[in-house]
Amino acid sequence: MSSAVPKVPITVAIGDGIGPEIMSQTLRVLEAAGAALAPEFIEVGEAVYRAGNSSGIGPEAWESLKRTRVLLKAPITTPLGGGYKSLNVTLRKTLGLYANVRPCRSLHPAVATRHPDLDVVIIRENEEDLYAGIEHQQTPDVVQCLKLVSRSGCEKIVRFAFEYARRHGRRRITCMTKDNIMKLTDGLFHRVFMEIGRQYPDIAQDHQIIDIGAARLADTPERYDVVVTMNLYGDIISDIVAQLTGSVGLAGSSNVGDQGALFEAIHGSAPDIAGQNIANPSGLLQAAVLMLGHLGQHEVAARIHNAWLCALEDGLHTADIYRAGTSRTKVSTTEFADAVIARLGRGPQQLAAMPALPVAAPPPSAIETPLYGKVPVEQQLVGVDVFLRWDGKRAATLGQELEALTGHRLQLKLITNRGVKVYPDGHPETFCTDHWRCRFVAADARIHGAQLDFTRVSFIDVLTLLHRLADCQLYVIKTEHLYLMDGARAFSLGQGE
Amino acid sequence: MSSAVPKVPITVAIGDGIGPEIMSQTLRVLEAAGAALAPEFIEVGEAVYRAGNSSGIGPEAWESLKRTRVLLKAPITTPLGGGYKSLNVTLRKTLGLYANVRPCRSLHPAVATRHPDLDVVIIRENEEDLYAGIEHQQTPDVVQCLKLVSRSGCEKIVRFAFEYARRHGRRRITCMTKDNIMKLTDGLFHRVFMEIGRQYPDIAQDHQIIDIGAARLADTPERYDVVVTMNLYGDIISDIVAQLTGSVGLAGSSNVGDQGALFEAIHGSAPDIAGQNIANPSGLLQAAVLMLGHLGQHEVAARIHNAWLCALEDGLHTADIYRAGTSRTKVSTTEFADAVIARLGRGPQQLAAMPALPVAAPPPSAIETPLYGKVPVEQQLVGVDVFLRWDGKRAATLGQELEALTGHRLQLKLITNRGVKVYPDGHPETFCTDHWRCRFVAADARIHGAQLDFTRVSFIDVLTLLHRLADCQLYVIKTEHLYLMDGARAFSLGQGE
């Protein structure tokens, strides 16, 4: 088998914690099954961080990745705190792997689960949202993280999800966001879902607010088919669904982009059980199966998957899924790999076997962003939110000071503290930090309640205002410009405004 | 009973959707049970929004709230999209209701559930996080939402959680954050949890990353006792836990602050079943029970709670919890309230009855923020992140342009796009939007890798840079200042930096 097919170079990262032991067993199974692979090993993760590379990945590793465009990666440990960035996030974002795909299926009755009929695919946006990791401490009291969402990013992941559903014979896609609160960011994701969804009338579609959506998913995952969602929500619900199949140790995931693909187990590096030969290699093995599919080696993928199902059906279970009654023998990491290898060529009795037929994967470049960049947008500056550190307590004092210093091109519209309006007409009950958002609009803008007739201001007007604030010893910590986009207000009101 | 106790004025909002029908039944039960209450009705919600008040609440309603300091609120509908703010968020934040407390307990065998032993309290920070709702569209492609976390806010909610646990005989608190990714914001919450936790050696404590924490909570909620977490995570996991008891229709929650308290059902306004007399009033009834406890009317609270348990045990179930086998009769909203009223004075047979003893509630003012404001922090400006809209594609082009225009007090350190470093030494694979973050530090800062010896810059240096950018027709959309706090870097590195 392996002699007939040219070996495909792949990049392999053995990871931290339980990573090395589950990777070595996964590679043993791949070799025994006749996968045509030429692994290049790279060093990433904790050792690289500790050696002084805060991104956790060195130049040689990037070289290999750019050659192979395929990475099989065991879990790595991001040191907590300090200046370390998550390597997973760096890899996904640098390589443009915008789609994280996690198929989760219960293996009842082989593996104990409360949800025998669970068969859900979570498609998670993989590059944006709070995972940009852009954080700034702005005052002694207040720290900020930026949540960034782009139309192009939303269009790519939503398009991908619909294409995935159609290709895999899935019938329903549920979109989850929190757009009752985050009307602009999450609202954009929801809106793009509806826009693109109209092109797929063959697929049932609905939207759920993430809180109640996650609750229903946790309670009755059988009711769901494909879920597409934003990065943070996807992170949470994909772990929930995987856990409900019986263990997060059973699932692999693919991270797919236009420029490459990364395959990994969905669990972490579990340093508490590292080196004990008790970890479940199934997640990484499933990742390898997804990788073989991606590389067109479907027959080998099916051979491994079916032998794996067979071993699970035979009740050979690692500690994480071992349950008296369901399981027969508690096995080690290596024993489980032995069991899979011994069953190569066999298939499951009760569980559905994977067919060896190649599934046609459309090239990722088929994913086009339908609207972004194709329609010019007129962007017009109409004001600025200036954020101040101010150690006083009475908002009216600050408000009056700001009213007094203006009298030029900009006027104070309101002040909020943690998003709540505190001036004018604040409530003394509102707890205030040392972090004040002061909204300025054009002096000739007409304000009646929340209705504004905005008029254009210039960036030079904003700079003049900032100079005046500095002259008055007011401590500016940041700015956010206020824009109309094609004439419509493109910023949120203050809470209570 | 009611004649002996002076009536306490409370504010009542009947809400939208199913709100009016579940509120009228809840008030019937309260009156029949002899609660000493003098309700003042206010109008809030959808009708107020539609009448042109984008905050969903008018001046008369604020007047009543400030008098009574207690609100019993049925669910209201926040219109999706547009300029409407969530009234729930406005009320919580304006009144400083920083703690959301959701006790969830399974009522096995009276109500069908997969988790008969579930008994979890979720304590959710209620004012901060992404719910500040500060959103700005910054370029044609990119929208931003600010996540704000304060030390004072973290200290208040964590202190509250430990006090709650001690007062209610709870043994363990689990903190959940995502601080492997958001090291500054979520890291602050986690750090405060550990700081304050040291003062409560009698209570077991642990921390879980929210993804795997939510997964374990969804899978085996029996293992948890009290969970304290940030606003968004709390929103999601509190709905999960409530749902796992059998229905989100069964639980009430309290929102507590120094200045007042708000009691509500945890479910939404369910407009799809409004006016049909089929909604479950239990959540609002539970909220009323929590309110009676808050007002010191413990005997009435227990009388209602025990009659409610009795009705559930008798199998009188509204449609949301009706299950053939467990339930006996499917009842309407009014029939369920009738059933509770008919059982006033009786208690449950199998479920644990609520004792009528008053639980001593320590005054909320006992919650002090231990550190914030007590130690002066030296805040030193060392640079600025300038965000540009730029419609080009090659980061190096922008980088070289920015390098050329400086040559004054500030130098370009790096450019990122959606958090990923693209200059210097970017990867062409990185997908770029029209939103570029350009980091400038002092010209005399020594840069070696991620290690920087920062030196002070002035706000005037920043303004000079912004003027130069404007002169070069570069389109500035916002700034974020870079600070050292007490000499330590207080901002995140770029992904891959």
Side-chain angles (χ1 to χ4, degrees):
Chain A
M1 173 80 205
S2 58
S3 58
V5 183
K7 292 195 172 189
V8 181
I10 63 167
T11 304
V12 173
I14 64 166
D16 302 311
I18 58 172
E21 51 201 291
I22 62 174
M23 182 60 87
S24 67
Q25 297 313 309
T26 297
L27 294 175
R28 269 184 67 216
V29 174
L30 284 169
E31 187 166 0
L37 302 171
E40 298 181 6
F41 291 88
I42 59 170
E43 261 199 78
V44 294
E46 205 166 15
V48 180
Y49 287 116
R50 303 290 183 204
N53 190 320
S54 66
S55 69
I57 182 166
E60 307 79 13
W62 281 123
E63 281 314 308
S64 170
L65 276 174
K66 290 186 179 200
R67 253 194 321 274
T68 69
R69 303 273 175 197
V70 175
L71 173 61
L72 181 64
K73 187 180 81 54
I76 60 118
T77 303
T78 307
L80 281 185
Y84 305 110
K85 305 297 294 189
S86 159
L87 174 62
N88 291 328
V89 178
T90 299
L91 283 170
R92 289 177 198 158
K93 294 181 62 167
T94 306
L95 294 176
L97 308 176
Y98 60 82
N100 180 256
V101 184
R102 291 199 189 177
C104 294
R105 187 183 295 215
S106 287
L107 300 172
H108 174 82
V111 177
T113 169
R114 283 195 193 83
H115 302 279
D117 299 321
L118 189 164
D119 180 9
V120 177
V121 180
I122 307 291
I123 297 182
R124 164 187 173 193
E125 197 288 317
N126 216 10
E127 298 185 283
E128 309 199 324
D129 199 347
L130 291 154
Y131 292 65
I134 304 181
E135 295 184 286
H136 297 84
Q137 185 173 356
Q138 304 185 319
T139 69
D141 200 27
V142 175
V143 189
Q144 171 192 274
C145 183
L146 297 184
K147 168 169 171 163
L148 296 174
V149 178
S150 73
R151 170 169 273 276
S152 52
C154 295
E155 288 182 354
K156 281 200 295 183
I157 190 67
V158 169
R159 172 72 76 195
F160 179 92
F162 277 102
E163 288 293 320
Y164 180 96
R166 199 174 259 178
R167 204 160 73 237
H168 290 79
R170 297 275 176 168
R171 304 196 168 183
R172 169 175 294 277
I173 303 190
T174 303
C175 174
M176 294 191 190
T177 73
K178 185 76 193 174
D179 68 339
N180 55 338
I181 298 290
M182 284 165 276
K183 296 171 196 294
L184 300 188
T185 46
D186 290 27
L188 176 61
F189 195 94
H190 186 180
R191 201 161 62 247
V192 167
F193 176 75
M194 291 192 297
E195 284 169 12
I196 293 183
R198 282 195 282 275
Q199 300 167 26
Y200 296 83
D202 49 317
I203 296 171
Q205 302 160 30
D206 64 340
H207 174 268
Q208 298 178 0
I209 301 291
I210 182 65
D211 46 12
I212 188 64
R216 289 184 186 147
L217 193 57
D219 190 46
T220 45
E222 307 77 24
R223 285 203 223 156
Y224 291 83
D225 191 349
V226 175
V227 179
V228 64
T229 189
M230 303 169 79
N231 203 339
L232 175 66
Y233 311 139
D235 193 7
I236 295 172
I237 65 172
S238 59
D239 271 18
I240 291 175
V241 175
Q243 179 80 43
L244 295 182
T245 64
S247 167
V248 288
L250 291 172
S253 82
S254 54
N255 296 272
V256 183
D258 300 341
Q259 309 283 341
L262 182 168
F263 302 88
E264 61 190 339
I266 69 163
H267 56 77
S269 58
D272 51 322
I273 59 162
Q276 297 176 42
N277 195 27
I278 60 170
N280 189 345
S282 294
L284 192 57
L285 201 58
Q286 285 304 297
V289 166
L290 291 169
M291 178 186 71
L292 289 169
H294 176 82
L295 295 173
Q297 301 187 26
H298 302 280
E299 210 184 315
V300 188
R303 190 177 306 134
I304 294 173
H305 188 80
N306 293 333
W308 173 73
L309 290 175
C310 189
L312 290 173
E313 267 189 354
D314 288 349
L316 305 174
H317 292 173
T318 44
D320 58 316
I321 56 169
Y322 184 87
R323 299 284 180 285
T326 314
S327 308
R328 214 188 64 204
T329 314
K330 192 182 284 184
V331 294
S332 68
T333 312
T334 45
E335 285 165 348
F336 185 73
D338 291 344
V340 174
I341 291 171
R343 285 163 181 76
L344 287 168
R346 290 169 53 192
Q349 301 292 312
Q350 293 188 277
L351 297 166
M354 182 193 236
L357 296 174
V359 178
S365 58
I367 306 299
E368 281 198 13
T369 56
L371 289 177
Y372 165 62
K374 303 203 173 129
V375 183
V377 174
E378 200 218 331
Q379 179 167 3
Q380 183 184 346
L381 185 66
V382 294
V384 62
D385 283 345
V386 180
F387 289 71
L388 299 177
R389 170 182 169 182
W390 188 65
D391 294 336
K393 283 288 158 210
R394 255 190 92 249
T397 307
L398 179 61
Q400 285 150 15
E401 186 171 351
L402 293 175
E403 303 259 21
L405 76 82
T406 52
H408 44 90
R409 274 286 297 146
L410 293 169
Q411 64 173 317
L412 181 68
K413 165 103 172 52
L414 86 163
I415 304 176
T416 69
N417 194 294
R418 299 196 297 182
V420 178
K421 187 179 76 164
V422 292
Y423 181 87
D425 308 323
H427 298 270
E429 292 81 359
T430 308
F431 178 83
C432 290
T433 64
D434 54 8
H435 183 270
W436 307 78
R437 184 261 300 261
C438 308
R439 174 161 289 179
F440 294 88
V441 297
D444 57 357
R446 273 175 305 160
I447 302 177
H448 27 100
Q451 302 304 309
L452 266 176
D453 287 333
F454 294 103
T455 57
R456 187 185 289 273
V457 306
S458 74
F459 184 47
I460 299 301
D461 297 333
V462 171
L463 291 178
T464 305
L465 171 68
L466 295 175
H467 274 290
R468 291 187 72 140
L469 292 169
D471 290 345
C472 296
Q473 310 298 319
L474 285 162
Y475 197 92
V476 174
I477 50 178
K478 64 170 283 187
T479 58
E480 300 280 354
H481 291 184
L482 306 181
Y483 293 109
L484 303 185
M485 296 285 178
D486 286 337
R489 175 168 56 80
F491 49 92
S492 58
L493 300 176
Q495 203 82 42
E497 185 175 349
Chain B
M1 171 77 206
S2 58
S3 60
V5 183
K7 291 195 171 185
V8 181
I10 62 168
T11 303
V12 172
I14 64 166
D16 302 312
I18 57 171
E21 50 201 292
I22 61 174
M23 181 61 86
S24 67
Q25 297 313 309
T26 297
L27 294 174
R28 270 184 67 216
V29 174
L30 283 169
E31 187 166 358
L37 301 171
E40 299 181 4
F41 291 88
I42 59 170
E43 260 199 77
V44 295
E46 205 167 14
V48 181
Y49 287 116
R50 303 290 182 203
N53 191 321
S54 65
S55 68
I57 181 166
E60 308 79 14
W62 281 124
E63 281 314 308
S64 170
L65 276 175
K66 291 187 177 197
R67 254 194 321 273
T68 68
R69 304 272 176 199
V70 175
L71 175 60
L72 180 64
K73 187 180 81 54
I76 59 117
T77 302
T78 307
L80 283 185
Y84 305 110
K85 306 296 295 189
S86 160
L87 173 63
N88 291 329
V89 177
T90 298
L91 283 170
R92 288 175 198 159
K93 294 181 62 169
T94 305
L95 295 175
L97 308 176
Y98 59 82
N100 180 254
V101 184
R102 292 199 189 177
C104 293
R105 187 184 296 213
S106 286
L107 300 172
H108 175 82
V111 177
T113 169
R114 284 195 192 84
H115 302 279
D117 300 321
L118 188 163
D119 180 8
V120 177
V121 180
I122 307 291
I123 297 181
R124 163 188 174 192
E125 197 289 315
N126 216 10
E127 296 186 283
E128 309 199 325
D129 199 348
L130 291 154
Y131 291 64
I134 304 181
E135 296 185 285
H136 297 84
Q137 184 173 356
Q138 304 185 320
T139 69
D141 200 26
V142 175
V143 188
Q144 172 192 274
C145 183
L146 297 184
K147 169 171 170 163
L148 296 173
V149 178
S150 73
R151 169 169 272 278
S152 52
C154 295
E155 289 182 354
K156 282 200 294 182
I157 190 68
V158 170
R159 171 72 77 197
F160 179 93
F162 277 103
E163 288 294 318
Y164 180 97
R166 197 174 260 179
R167 205 160 73 236
H168 290 80
R170 295 279 177 166
R171 305 198 168 182
R172 169 175 295 276
I173 302 189
T174 304
C175 173
M176 294 191 189
T177 74
K178 185 75 193 174
D179 68 340
N180 55 338
I181 298 289
M182 285 165 276
K183 296 171 196 294
L184 299 188
T185 45
D186 289 27
L188 176 61
F189 195 95
H190 186 180
R191 201 161 63 247
V192 167
F193 176 75
M194 291 194 296
E195 285 168 12
I196 293 183
R198 282 195 282 276
Q199 300 167 25
Y200 297 82
D202 49 318
I203 296 171
Q205 301 160 31
D206 64 340
H207 174 268
Q208 297 179 0
I209 300 292
I210 182 65
D211 46 12
I212 188 64
R216 288 184 188 150
L217 193 57
D219 191 46
T220 45
E222 307 78 23
R223 285 203 223 156
Y224 291 82
D225 191 349
V226 174
V227 179
V228 63
T229 189
M230 304 170 80
N231 203 340
L232 175 66
Y233 311 139
D235 193 6
I236 295 172
I237 66 172
S238 59
D239 271 17
I240 291 175
V241 175
Q243 179 79 43
L244 294 182
T245 64
S247 167
V248 289
L250 291 172
S253 82
S254 53
N255 296 270
V256 183
D258 299 343
Q259 309 283 341
L262 183 167
F263 302 88
E264 60 191 340
I266 69 164
H267 56 78
S269 58
D272 51 321
I273 59 162
Q276 297 177 41
N277 195 28
I278 60 170
N280 188 346
S282 294
L284 192 57
L285 201 58
Q286 286 303 298
V289 166
L290 292 169
M291 178 186 72
L292 289 170
H294 176 83
L295 296 173
Q297 302 187 26
H298 302 282
E299 209 182 315
V300 188
R303 189 177 308 132
I304 295 173
H305 187 80
N306 293 333
W308 174 73
L309 290 175
C310 190
L312 291 173
E313 267 190 354
D314 287 349
L316 304 174
H317 292 173
T318 43
D320 58 316
I321 56 169
Y322 185 88
R323 299 284 181 284
T326 314
S327 308
R328 214 189 64 205
T329 314
K330 193 183 284 185
V331 294
S332 68
T333 311
T334 45
E335 285 165 347
F336 185 73
D338 292 342
V340 174
I341 291 170
R343 284 163 181 76
L344 287 168
R346 290 170 52 192
Q349 301 292 312
Q350 292 188 278
L351 297 166
M354 182 192 237
L357 296 174
V359 178
S365 59
I367 307 298
E368 280 197 15
T369 54
L371 289 177
Y372 165 63
K374 302 199 173 133
V375 183
V377 174
E378 200 218 331
Q379 178 167 3
Q380 183 184 348
L381 185 66
V382 295
V384 62
D385 283 345
V386 180
F387 290 69
L388 300 177
R389 171 182 168 181
W390 188 66
D391 295 334
K393 284 287 159 211
R394 256 190 90 248
T397 307
L398 179 61
Q400 285 149 16
E401 186 170 350
L402 292 175
E403 302 259 20
L405 76 84
T406 53
H408 44 90
R409 277 284 297 145
L410 293 170
Q411 64 175 317
L412 180 69
K413 165 104 173 47
L414 87 162
I415 304 174
T416 69
N417 194 294
R418 296 196 298 181
V420 179
K421 186 179 76 165
V422 292
Y423 181 86
D425 308 322
H427 298 270
E429 291 80 0
T430 308
F431 178 82
C432 291
T433 63
D434 54 8
H435 184 271
W436 307 79
R437 183 261 299 263
C438 309
R439 173 162 289 180
F440 293 89
V441 298
D444 56 358
R446 274 175 301 160
I447 302 176
H448 26 101
Q451 303 303 311
L452 267 176
D453 287 333
F454 293 102
T455 57
R456 188 185 289 270
V457 305
S458 74
F459 183 47
I460 299 301
D461 296 334
V462 171
L463 290 178
T464 305
L465 171 68
L466 295 176
H467 274 290
R468 294 188 70 141
L469 293 168
D471 290 345
C472 296
Q473 310 299 320
L474 286 161
Y475 197 92
V476 174
I477 50 178
K478 63 170 285 185
T479 59
E480 299 281 355
H481 291 182
L482 307 180
Y483 293 109
L484 303 185
M485 295 285 179
D486 286 337
R489 175 168 56 81
F491 49 91
S492 58
L493 300 177
Q495 203 82 44
E497 186 174 349

